[in-house]
Amino acid sequence: MLIESLSVFPEMFEPVMSTSILGRARAAGLFEFQAHNLRDWTHDRHRTVDDEPYGGGAGMLMKVGPLHEAITNLASDPVLPRPHVVFFTPCGVPFTQHVAERLASYDRLLFVCGRYEGMDERAYELADERLSIGDYVLTGGELAAMVVTDAVVRLIPGVLGDEMSNKDESFATGDAGGLLEYAQYTRPASFNGSEVPSILLSGDHAKVDAWRRRNAIERTCRWRPDLLDQARLTEVERAYANEVLRALRATDDSE
Ligand code: SAH
């Protein structure tokens, strides 16, 4: 898989793409990353990428010309497959684990990052999709592109040491069924009077699995009840979730 970014601050990417798991995966050839500088597709002395918005208003907008030239140029590479082009904008579809799983299936992704007040709307005609990483406004799309790259790369087979570690994580659409992950503990078993649940020390794998499943349901009920509608639960689990929700509501009411 080849992931590319197009932005005016290409130097932001290298430290992230060469550190820890991403760095190792890249060194091992599990993905390639290349950051392009949008200014390479400008033709004036100042390498201008922005201009004032028609109709007035605060700030500057990214010009359509350099974006159009850069993207068509990158997309028509004679050797590489055509990239799937993702534009980052707060007006995009919210990025989720589900979207990460879908993006992980492309051979080539091109992440287009805005700056300033955003882009001339006509630039989006080259977008295969628009993504937002959340309901807040960043100063630029580079961090968004790095967030999405990180989430996508860790799904590539071989990137995480343990192939299982993706399976029951929070939001995983596989066996875990879209719940938050269960609570986890490591040594010591007792810390400042706070104990690890004894079942986890029992060595009984069936009991541990059952505890984890219940715990994942409880945590999802408490922190992200919005995930329950889409979660894959058995009838018994669904009934348990409803029971937990009722109990949480009862304690809320009594407070
Ligand atoms: N005026 C725009 C915000 C521009 S922020 C608006 O109100 O919608 C500048 C750039 O940062 C954007 O072009 C986009 O690429 C990036 N950006 C900011 N917030 C983002 C978010 N939540 N998700 C993805 N990209 C974001």
Side-chain angles (χ1 to χ4, degrees), residues 62 87-91 112-119 124 131-142 144:
M62 294 178 83
F87 277 53
F88 287 102
T89 160
C91 307
V112 183
C113 309
R115 277 270 153 185
Y116 322 114
E117 282 307 310
M119 292 176 186
Y124 292 105
L131 288 180
S132 163
I133 63 160
D135 291 346
Y136 41 80
V137 179
L138 304 165
T139 56
E142 293 85 355

Side-chain angles (χ1 to χ4, degrees), residues 104-124:
S105 66
Y106 288 97
D107 297 337
R108 189 179 174 203
L109 291 167
L110 175 58
F111 291 149
V112 183
C113 309
R115 277 270 153 185
Y116 322 114
E117 282 307 310
M119 292 176 186
D120 185 311
E121 190 65 24
R122 292 166 293 182
Y124 292 105

Side-chain angles (χ1 to χ4, degrees), residues 157-244:
V159 167
L160 297 184
D162 180 353
E163 287 306 318
M164 288 305 287
S165 32
N166 262 320
K167 292 228 162 66
D168 50 2
E169 275 177 330
S170 302
F171 317 116
T173 48
D175 297 344
L179 297 172
L180 297 182
E181 193 179 50
Y182 46 80
Q184 302 191 84
Y185 303 85
T186 182
R187 275 182 280 264
S190 175
F191 180 73
N192 287 350
S194 179
E195 310 294 328
V196 171
S198 56
I199 285 181
L200 300 180
L201 312 176
S202 69
D204 182 333
H205 292 299
K207 278 197 180 143
V208 168
D209 286 349
W211 181 90
R212 286 181 165 165
R213 187 71 184 163
R214 267 197 317 278
N215 188 257
I217 293 170
E218 288 160 13
R219 286 153 67 89
T220 309
C221 289
R222 181 179 294 272
W223 289 310
R224 291 296 305 276
D226 58 298
L227 296 176
L228 289 168
D229 281 349
Q230 298 291 318
R232 286 198 286 113
L233 300 178
T234 64
E235 238 167 86
V236 173
E237 289 172 339
R238 185 66 64 189
Y240 181 58
N242 288 332
E243 198 182 301
V244 173

